[in-house]
């Protein structure tokens, strides 16, 4: 275990941070690979400041883990801890101010569930993201996108814990860069909540589109397998899938990893 100070471990528990020692990362990643690491499950965002300060004081390196659907972790043990925000029942909060099209979401929430929660309020525009696995926090970091929709353009405000200073800041959208599968957040920023601006759209229209997109995804990806899905990026102007196909790599196997047919 990388945290030897048991008093600090107990303190963290009191702040709302559950410390899990020596966790196999393969249980936390969708690819099912990864050696052991410490996991700290944060259920109260105000725990972040003392937890991160305490880790820094003790020289314990830390990182952030969302749903683990964009992580290819080494099988070697990690001498560090991963902070993971815990989802809760009140993660999707609808705003009554303005035209009512803004929604503030805790970054621990599942992205797919968020799309459906918004749909129930007749708020659409993010249907394309419904099948992207993982959390809203991971989607912000990666500027997740699918079927012509990316999360970046929907963002109005992000509340972020800055690992460098231990402070919480609210960043307006125009101060954040969203690019193809990457964003301008600092490596030690932890996004806490995001406010999105959505479109008024009838639930049944959103549902019809969601069903269509889910079907398209099922047709193009082995979604029941431990698949790399759309983790891989396309090189500029090219499709990775097409390149793999043209190189005759479909079906190629290395150990337990295989390129699907
Ligand atoms: C089957 C499959 C299909 C996929 N399809 C798509 C797709 O269509 N489009 C697409 O864009 N991606 C796709 N992906 C990739 C992946 O799902 C997305 O990138 C997703 O947004 C990652 O979210 P996550 O919560 O799993 O993040 P993780 O994999 O846990 O983390 C990814 C990065 O985000 C950081 N991070 C996570 N949460 C926070 C936070 N709160 N604050 C700061 N940093 C944070 C992590 O530190 C890490 O750097 C797919 C993946 C799979 C396995």
């Amino acid at each position: 275990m990388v945290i030897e100070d048991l008093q600090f471990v107990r303190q963290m528990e009191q702040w709302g941070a559950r410390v899990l020692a020596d966790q196999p990362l393969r249980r936390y990643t969708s690819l099912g690979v990864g050696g052991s690491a410490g996991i700290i499950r944060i259920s109260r965002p105000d725990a972040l400041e003392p937890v991160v300060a305490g880790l820094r004081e003790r020289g314990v390196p830390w990182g952030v883990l969302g749903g683990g659907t964009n992580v290819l972790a080494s099988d070697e043990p990690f001498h560090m801890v991963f902070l993971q925000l815990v989802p809760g029942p009140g993660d999707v909060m609808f705003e009554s101010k303005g035209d009512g099209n803004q929604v503030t979401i805790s970054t621990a929430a599942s992205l797919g569930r968020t799309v459906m929660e918004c749909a129930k309020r007749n708020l659409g525009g993010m249907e394309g993201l419904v099948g992207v696995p993982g959390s809203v926090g991971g989607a912000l970091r990666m500027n997740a996108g699918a079927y012509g929709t990316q999360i970046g353009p929907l963002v109005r405000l992000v509340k972020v814990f800055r690992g460098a200073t231990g402070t919480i800041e609210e960043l307006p959208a125009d101060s954040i860069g969203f690019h193809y599968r990457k964003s301008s957040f600092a490596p030690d920023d932890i996004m806490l909540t995001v406010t999105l601006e959505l479109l008024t759209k009838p639930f049944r229209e959103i549902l019809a589109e969601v069903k269509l997109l889910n079907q398209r995804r099922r047709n193009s990806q082995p979604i029941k397998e431990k698949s790399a899905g759309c983790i891989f990026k396309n090189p500029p102007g090219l499709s990775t899938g097409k390149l793999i196909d043209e190189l005759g790599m479909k079906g190629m196997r290395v150990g337990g990893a295989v390129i699907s047919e």
Side-chain angles (χ1 to χ4, degrees), residues 96-117:
S96 50
K97 58 180 190 250
D99 56 10
N101 281 7
Q102 292 203 347
V103 54
T104 298
I105 308 148
S106 155
T107 55
S110 132
L111 184 61
R113 189 176 80 81
T114 299
V115 174
M116 295 317 294
E117 287 292 317

Side-chain angles (χ1 to χ4, degrees), residues 3-107:
I3 309 171
E4 277 152 13
D5 181 345
L6 291 181
Q7 201 184 336
F8 177 49
V9 170
R10 277 194 291 273
Q11 251 176 346
M12 284 196 278
E13 305 268 341
Q14 281 161 10
W15 295 327
R18 188 155 168 248
V19 181
L20 303 165
D22 300 323
Q23 294 294 298
L25 275 183
R26 68 186 142 77
R27 279 205 223 133
Y28 292 80
T29 59
S30 60
L31 284 173
V33 291
S36 67
I39 301 276
I40 303 182
R41 306 251 303 152
I42 309 273
S43 41
R44 289 210 308 265
D46 56 0
L48 276 173
E49 194 268 313
V51 167
V52 168
L55 292 174
R56 183 169 295 127
E57 230 169 79
R58 290 161 183 81
V60 179
W62 58 273
V64 183
L65 190 64
T69 68
N70 207 331
V71 175
L72 180 57
S74 154
D75 286 331
E76 302 297 317
F78 286 76
H79 300 289
M80 63 183 292
V81 295
F82 289 94
L83 308 180
Q84 195 177 40
L85 302 176
V86 179
D91 279 345
V92 186
M93 296 155 277
F94 295 92
E95 311 266 322
S96 50
K97 58 180 190 250
D99 56 10
N101 281 7
Q102 292 203 347
V103 54
T104 298
I105 308 148
S106 155
T107 55

Side-chain angles (χ1 to χ4, degrees), residues 221-239:
Q221 284 174 19
I223 57 167
K224 289 197 179 138
E225 309 291 334
K226 287 188 164 65
S227 142
C230 299
I231 292 179
F232 296 108
K233 289 163 73 170
N234 289 324
L238 294 168
S239 147

